C-alpha cells in the first residue's frame, strides 16, 4: 500500500482519492448495514477533526463492539475492497482552518490517504453542524450511509455542502498579481481567492473577486485546475485572467498588500531562494501549483530583465 | 436597457449578469439601510419563485411603504446605479426544478436580466430554507444585506449555498455519450451529470459520475465552461472526458437509456432536424452548449460515415 512517489514534497493536497464511493450501497440501508458489519470494515481514526497517523499511514481501526452503522459515514471501498467509514461526532470545534497536524500529513502520507482524510474531515464537520433542520429547526437524522440528513418533522432532505471558491492569478505583461492577508506570516503571498456566489459563472466570480480585492479588471479567464480543500469543505477552482492594466486599488479590509511579480521572482520563490521577493504557498495548496503552471507558460530566460 | 442581441434563441441561461455586487455595502448595516431607503432603489418582482415580466423586461418595483431593509437581499447596483433588492419569503414551495414561467424567460428577456432573476431566485430560496440554525435549531436572522444568516443562540454564521455539479460528455472514436432519465420527455437526451462531492476534484467527480451511471472509464477530462443554474442554486461545471472503450453498463435507477452519438447525429439534433437521433436540450441549458463545443471540435465531414 505504500506509495513512495506520493511522498514528494511537491504533491498537491487532498487530490488523488482512490476510494470507490459505491453509490449503489449508500442508497440501500440494508446493504449499508451489512457492509458496516463486515469483519474487514475499517474506521478512519480521527482526533477531533485532526488526522491520526502511524508508520506513514492513516490509522484505521475495526469497528468498536456495539458500534452502529447509522453513526458512521461510508466513505467507500479501498484498493483491498475493505469498506472504509468515518465515525460521526456530535460536535466539532472550529474546523475552518488547517491545524498543524492536518498540515503535517502533506509529507507523511501517500496522496490517496490525504484525500481520504480530507473526505472524512469534510463529512464529519458537515454532520456535526447539521444536526438540526435549517427549514424547521427540528432534529435531523443521518441517512444514505451518511450522505444526507433527513428531517422527520418536515421531510426536508439535506446534502453535504461543497463550497466552490475561485482562486486566481491576474497576469499583465509577464507579471502576476500576488496578495497577502493581514493575518498571514510575514512575506507570505498567494493568489487572491473568494467564494463563488449564486448567479455567477466561475469566470464571472474570478473577475468580480479581482476587481473587489485589487481594483483590477480581467478578461479571458481560463480554468487551470481544481482541488478539494477540507477546511471545512471547499472546492478550489484555480484560474488565470488577463488584466487590462496594472493599477491597483486594494480592499484594505481583505488585503494588506499586493504586488505584480515577474517570472524571475516567482521562480525564486518556488525554489525557496533566500533573495526571493516573497514566500510561496506550500505544496499542499493549489496556489503554489497555479504559480508553477503560470511559470511553465512563461518563456522568460532566467537572469536580469528590463 | 433593451439588448436585442441577448434575445437570440441560442443564449445560455443565467450567464452574463451585470450587477455590481457591492461587497463593501453588504458588510456595513448602516450603508445597506441607507441604500435600501434611496428613492431609486428597486425590488425585483417575484411570483413565489417565478419571474414577473412586462414588455420584455423583469418587473422592478419601488419598495413598499414601511418595507424594512432586513427583509430584503441586496443583489447589487444595475447599469443605472440603481440598488436592486429581492424581498425574502418566509416560505417557498418546491423550487428544485424549472417551471414553465422560469423557462419562458429564455426568449423574453435580455441575458443580464435572466442572470439577475437567477441570482434573486437562488437567494430567496436559500433564505426560506435556512430560517433555523443547522447547528443548534434556533431561529436565524438575515445579515450582511442578505448574504448571510446568523444564529443569536450559538453565534453560528451561515452562507448561501452554491452546489457544484459536474455535467459531462464522454467521447470515444468520434462519438459522445448521451443519456436520458426516466422522467424526461420522449426522445430527449442530454449529457450525464451529478453533484460534485466532498473530497473530489472536478475531474475526479466527472470520472466517478460517468463510471457510476454508464460504467464507462474516462481519462484526460477537460473543463469547457460553467453556468449558474438557479434550481435552486447549482454551479454547472461542463467537461469532456475521453473514454477508453465504448461498452456501457447503465445504472438503471438513474439512467433509462444511453447511447453513443456521432457528429452527424449531434449536428442534426442541434438543428432540430426531424430525422435527428434525439431531441437536444434547450439553449438555456449548458448541455446544449457543451454539445456545440464538442461538435465545433470535430472535423468529420457531413454525410454517411463508416
Amino acid at each position: 500500500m505504500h506509495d513512495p512517489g506520493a511522498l514528494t514534497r511537491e504533491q498537491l493536497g487532498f487530490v488523488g482519492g482512490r476510494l470507490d464511493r459505491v453509490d449503489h450501497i449508500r442508497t440501500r440501508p440494508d446493504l449499508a448495514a451489512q457492509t458496516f458489519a463486515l469483519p474487514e470494515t475499517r474506521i478512519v481514526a480521527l482526533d477531533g477533526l485532526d488526522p491520526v497517523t502511524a508508520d506513514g499511514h492513516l490509522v484505521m481501526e475495526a469497528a468498536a463492539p456495539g458500534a452502529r452503522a447509522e453513526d458512521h459515514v461510508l466513505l467507500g471501498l479501498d484498493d483491498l475492497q475493505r469498506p472504509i467509514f468515518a465515525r460521526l461526532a456530535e460536535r466539532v470545534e472550529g474546523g475552518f482552518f488547517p491545524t498543524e497536524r492536518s498540515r503535517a500529513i502533506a509529507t507523511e502520507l501517500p496522496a490517496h490517504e490525504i484525500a481520504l482524510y480530507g473526505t472524512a474531515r469534510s463529512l464529519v464537520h458537515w454532520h456535526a453542524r447539521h444536526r438540526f433542520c435549517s427549514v424547521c429547526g427540528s432534529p435531523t437524522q443521518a441517512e444514505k450511509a451518511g450522505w444526507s440528513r433527513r428531517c422527520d418533522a418536515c421531510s426536508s432532505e439535506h446534502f453535504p455542502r461543497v463550497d466552490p471558491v475561485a482562486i486566481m492569478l491576474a497576469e499583465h505583461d509577464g507579471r502576476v498579481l500576488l496578495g497577502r492577508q493581514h493575518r498571514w506570516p510575514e512575506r507570505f503571498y498567494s493568489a487572491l481567492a473568494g467564494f463563488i456566489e449564486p448567479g455567477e459563472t466561475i469566470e464571472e466570480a474570478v473577475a468580480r473577486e479581482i476587481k473587489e480585492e485589487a481594483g483590477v479588471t480581467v478578461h479571458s479567464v481560463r480554468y487551470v485546475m481544481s482541488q478539494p480543500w477540507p477546511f471545512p469543505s471547499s472546492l478550489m477552482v484555480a484560474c488565470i485572467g488577463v488584466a487590462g492594466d496594472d493599477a491597483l486599488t486594494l480592499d484594505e479590509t481583505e488585503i494588506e498588500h499586493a504586488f505584480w511579480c515577474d517570472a524571475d521572482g516567482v521562480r525564486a520563490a518556488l525554489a525557496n531562494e533566500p533573495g526571493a521577493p516573497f514566500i510561496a504557498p506550500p505544496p499542499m495548496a493549489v496556489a503554489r501549483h497555479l504559480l508553477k503552471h503560470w511559470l511553465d507558460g512563461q518563456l522568460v530566460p532566467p537572469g536580469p530583465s528590463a
Side-chain angles (χ1 to χ4, degrees), chain A residues 107-127:
Chain A
T107 53
E108 287 177 21
L109 298 182
H112 67 95
E113 293 193 22
I114 298 175
L116 190 162
Y117 162 69
T119 308
R121 189 186 196 290
S122 288
L123 283 156
V124 170
H125 189 271
W126 179 78
H127 277 280

Side-chain angles (χ1 to χ4, degrees), chain A residues 29-295:
Chain A
D30 54 335
L31 287 186
Q34 285 169 28
T35 302
F36 185 75
L38 292 172
E40 63 267 34
T41 284
R42 289 295 175 272
I43 318 290
V44 187
L46 293 175
D47 175 12
L49 291 169
D50 272 344
V52 181
T53 63
D55 302 324
H57 292 285
L58 286 174
V59 172
M60 303 274 186
E61 299 167 332
R68 306 183 317 157
E70 55 266 41
D71 297 329
H72 297 75
V73 53
L74 173 56
L75 301 174
L77 306 187
D78 72 5
D79 293 347
L80 302 174
Q81 299 295 302
R82 297 183 306 181
I84 308 295
F85 287 78
R87 187 163 41 243
L88 304 184
E90 292 224 341
R91 53 182 300 141
V92 296
E93 299 297 330
F96 295 95
F97 299 99
T99 58
E100 284 298 306
R101 280 298 300 133
S102 57
R103 286 184 197 280
I105 59 173
T107 53
E108 287 177 21
L109 298 182
H112 67 95
E113 293 193 22
I114 298 175
L116 190 162
Y117 162 69
T119 308
R121 189 186 196 290
S122 288
L123 283 156
V124 170
H125 189 271
W126 179 78
H127 277 280
R129 292 183 59 86
H130 290 78
R131 297 179 61 226
F132 294 87
C133 176
S134 63
V135 177
C136 77
S138 303
T140 55
Q141 319 296 334
E143 266 197 355
K144 294 188 179 162
W147 289 88
S148 94
R149 294 187 72 88
R150 178 171 291 279
C151 174
D152 289 336
C154 77
S155 300
S156 293
E157 190 172 7
H158 303 280
F159 297 97
R161 280 183 81 120
V162 172
D163 297 311
V165 171
I167 181 164
M168 56 266 166
L169 296 173
E171 63 178 351
H172 183 262
D173 198 16
R175 297 176 302 162
V176 286
L177 181 61
L178 300 172
R180 53 175 276 110
Q181 296 178 18
H182 297 273
R183 63 184 173 80
W184 285 358
E186 206 178 341
R187 298 185 57 236
F188 185 97
Y189 284 76
S190 187
L192 303 183
F195 288 100
I196 299 175
E197 297 185 346
E200 293 181 318
T201 63
I202 292 169
E203 294 77 9
E204 289 168 348
V206 165
R208 175 184 54 75
E209 285 286 346
I210 298 181
K211 185 75 181 175
E212 273 177 16
E213 297 193 351
V216 171
T217 301
V218 297
H219 60 86
S220 306
V221 174
R222 58 190 192 271
Y223 169 85
V224 175
M225 69 180 80
S226 64
Q227 177 203 29
W229 184 247
F231 306 101
S233 194
S234 291
L235 174 66
M236 309 303 290
V237 184
C239 298
I240 298 176
V242 178
D245 70 71
D246 63 1
L248 298 179
T249 307
L250 299 188
D251 172 359
E252 290 176 0
T253 60
E254 295 273 341
I255 302 293
E256 184 194 83
H257 183 243
F259 74 105
W260 294 94
C261 187
D262 65 14
D264 287 339
V266 171
R267 189 181 294 113
L270 290 175
N272 299 313
E273 288 178 11
F278 70 103
I279 297 172
M284 180 176 258
V286 74
R288 184 182 186 91
H289 300 263
L290 184 59
L291 282 167
K292 275 188 186 175
H293 173 91
W294 176 79
L295 189 62

